[in-house]
PDB file of all heavy atoms in Angstrom:
ATOM      1  N   ALA Y 556      -3.839  10.758  16.759  1.00 97.00           N
ATOM      2  CA  ALA Y 556      -2.548  11.055  17.362  1.00 97.00           C
ATOM      3  C   ALA Y 556      -2.671  11.019  18.878  1.00 97.00           C
ATOM      4  O   ALA Y 556      -3.747  11.260  19.429  1.00 97.00           O
ATOM      5  CB  ALA Y 556      -2.070  12.438  16.917  1.00 97.00           C
ATOM      6  N   GLY Y 557      -1.574  10.707  19.557  1.00 96.00           N
ATOM      7  CA  GLY Y 557      -1.585  10.709  21.014  1.00 96.00           C
ATOM      8  C   GLY Y 557      -0.190  10.477  21.562  1.00 96.00           C
ATOM      9  O   GLY Y 557       0.802  10.579  20.834  1.00 96.00           O
ATOM     10  N   ARG Y 558      -0.141  10.146  22.842  1.00 94.00           N
ATOM     11  CA  ARG Y 558       1.147   9.947  23.501  1.00 94.00           C
ATOM     12  C   ARG Y 558       1.519   8.478  23.498  1.00 94.00           C
ATOM     13  O   ARG Y 558       0.678   7.609  23.710  1.00 94.00           O
ATOM     14  CB  ARG Y 558       1.052  10.423  24.965  1.00 94.00           C
ATOM     15  CG  ARG Y 558       0.645  11.864  25.109  1.00 94.00           C
ATOM     16  CD  ARG Y 558       1.757  12.811  24.778  1.00 94.00           C
ATOM     17  NE  ARG Y 558       2.851  12.762  25.745  1.00 94.00           N
ATOM     18  CZ  ARG Y 558       4.025  13.355  25.570  1.00 94.00           C
ATOM     19  NH1 ARG Y 558       4.258  14.018  24.462  1.00 94.00           N
ATOM     20  NH2 ARG Y 558       4.964  13.290  26.487  1.00 94.00           N
ATOM     21  N   MET Y 559       2.776   8.212  23.256  1.00 92.00           N
ATOM     22  CA  MET Y 559       3.257   6.834  23.274  1.00 92.00           C
ATOM     23  C   MET Y 559       4.669   6.818  23.843  1.00 92.00           C
ATOM     24  O   MET Y 559       5.570   7.436  23.281  1.00 92.00           O
ATOM     25  CB  MET Y 559       3.257   6.277  21.851  1.00 92.00           C
ATOM     26  CG  MET Y 559       3.768   4.860  21.743  1.00 92.00           C
ATOM     27  SD  MET Y 559       3.720   4.272  20.039  1.00 92.00           S
ATOM     28  CE  MET Y 559       5.261   4.919  19.430  1.00 92.00           C
ATOM     29  N   GLY Y 560       4.825   6.117  24.957  1.00 87.00           N
ATOM     30  CA  GLY Y 560       6.160   5.939  25.533  1.00 87.00           C
ATOM     31  C   GLY Y 560       6.924   7.238  25.707  1.00 87.00           C
ATOM     32  O   GLY Y 560       8.112   7.306  25.437  1.00 87.00           O
ATOM     33  N   GLY Y 561       6.262   8.280  26.138  1.00 87.00           N
ATOM     34  CA  GLY Y 561       6.942   9.546  26.397  1.00 87.00           C
ATOM     35  C   GLY Y 561       7.124  10.418  25.163  1.00 87.00           C
ATOM     36  O   GLY Y 561       7.740  11.474  25.240  1.00 87.00           O
ATOM     37  N   GLY Y 562       6.604   9.970  24.030  1.00 90.00           N
ATOM     38  CA  GLY Y 562       6.748  10.776  22.811  1.00 90.00           C
ATOM     39  C   GLY Y 562       5.454  10.779  22.034  1.00 90.00           C
ATOM     40  O   GLY Y 562       4.386  10.432  22.551  1.00 90.00           O
ATOM     41  N   HIS Y 563       5.587  11.154  20.767  1.00 93.00           N
ATOM     42  CA  HIS Y 563       4.417  11.193  19.911  1.00 93.00           C
ATOM     43  C   HIS Y 563       4.113   9.804  19.369  1.00 93.00           C
ATOM     44  O   HIS Y 563       5.011   9.057  18.995  1.00 93.00           O
ATOM     45  CB  HIS Y 563       4.664  12.144  18.737  1.00 93.00           C
ATOM     46  CG  HIS Y 563       3.559  12.114  17.732  1.00 93.00           C
ATOM     47  ND1 HIS Y 563       3.521  11.200  16.712  1.00 93.00           N
ATOM     48  CD2 HIS Y 563       2.430  12.849  17.624  1.00 93.00           C
ATOM     49  CE1 HIS Y 563       2.416  11.389  16.008  1.00 93.00           C
ATOM     50  NE2 HIS Y 563       1.738  12.390  16.543  1.00 93.00           N
ATOM     51  N   GLY Y 564       2.850   9.473  19.336  1.00 96.00           N
ATOM     52  CA  GLY Y 564       2.453   8.203  18.733  1.00 96.00           C
ATOM     53  C   GLY Y 564       1.173   8.354  17.945  1.00 96.00           C
ATOM     54  O   GLY Y 564       0.554   9.426  17.914  1.00 96.00           O
ATOM     55  N   TRP Y 565       0.826   7.278  17.257  1.00 98.00           N
ATOM     56  CA  TRP Y 565      -0.436   7.193  16.545  1.00 98.00           C
ATOM     57  C   TRP Y 565      -1.184   6.012  17.141  1.00 98.00           C
ATOM     58  O   TRP Y 565      -0.651   4.898  17.207  1.00 98.00           O
ATOM     59  CB  TRP Y 565      -0.189   6.998  15.052  1.00 98.00           C
ATOM     60  CG  TRP Y 565       0.451   8.200  14.414  1.00 98.00           C
ATOM     61  CD1 TRP Y 565       1.765   8.388  14.140  1.00 98.00           C
ATOM     62  CD2 TRP Y 565      -0.224   9.392  14.001  1.00 98.00           C
ATOM     63  NE1 TRP Y 565       1.966   9.620  13.564  1.00 98.00           N
ATOM     64  CE2 TRP Y 565       0.757  10.253  13.468  1.00 98.00           C
ATOM     65  CE3 TRP Y 565      -1.562   9.823  14.032  1.00 98.00           C
ATOM     66  CZ2 TRP Y 565       0.442  11.522  12.961  1.00 98.00           C
ATOM     67  CZ3 TRP Y 565      -1.866  11.079  13.520  1.00 98.00           C
ATOM     68  CH2 TRP Y 565      -0.876  11.907  13.004  1.00 98.00           C
ATOM     69  N   LEU Y 566      -2.418   6.241  17.590  1.00 98.00           N
ATOM     70  CA  LEU Y 566      -3.103   5.282  18.434  1.00 98.00           C
ATOM     71  C   LEU Y 566      -4.416   4.800  17.820  1.00 98.00           C
ATOM     72  O   LEU Y 566      -5.100   5.535  17.126  1.00 98.00           O
ATOM     73  CB  LEU Y 566      -3.411   5.914  19.801  1.00 98.00           C
ATOM     74  CG  LEU Y 566      -2.282   6.727  20.452  1.00 98.00           C
ATOM     75  CD1 LEU Y 566      -2.749   7.298  21.787  1.00 98.00           C
ATOM     76  CD2 LEU Y 566      -1.028   5.882  20.645  1.00 98.00           C
ATOM     77  N   ILE Y 567      -4.735   3.545  18.108  1.00 98.00           N
ATOM     78  CA  ILE Y 567      -6.055   3.010  17.758  1.00 98.00           C
ATOM     79  C   ILE Y 567      -6.813   2.834  19.066  1.00 98.00           C
ATOM     80  O   ILE Y 567      -6.328   2.147  19.978  1.00 98.00           O
ATOM     81  CB  ILE Y 567      -5.939   1.658  17.015  1.00 98.00           C
ATOM     82  CG1 ILE Y 567      -5.137   1.825  15.718  1.00 98.00           C
ATOM     83  CG2 ILE Y 567      -7.333   1.099  16.713  1.00 98.00           C
ATOM     84  CD1 ILE Y 567      -4.908   0.527  14.948  1.00 98.00           C
TER      85      ILE Y 567
END
Side-chain angles (χ1 to χ4, degrees):
R558 302 285 292 170
M559 179 179 84
H563 173 274
W565 293 98
L566 316 179
I567 300 177

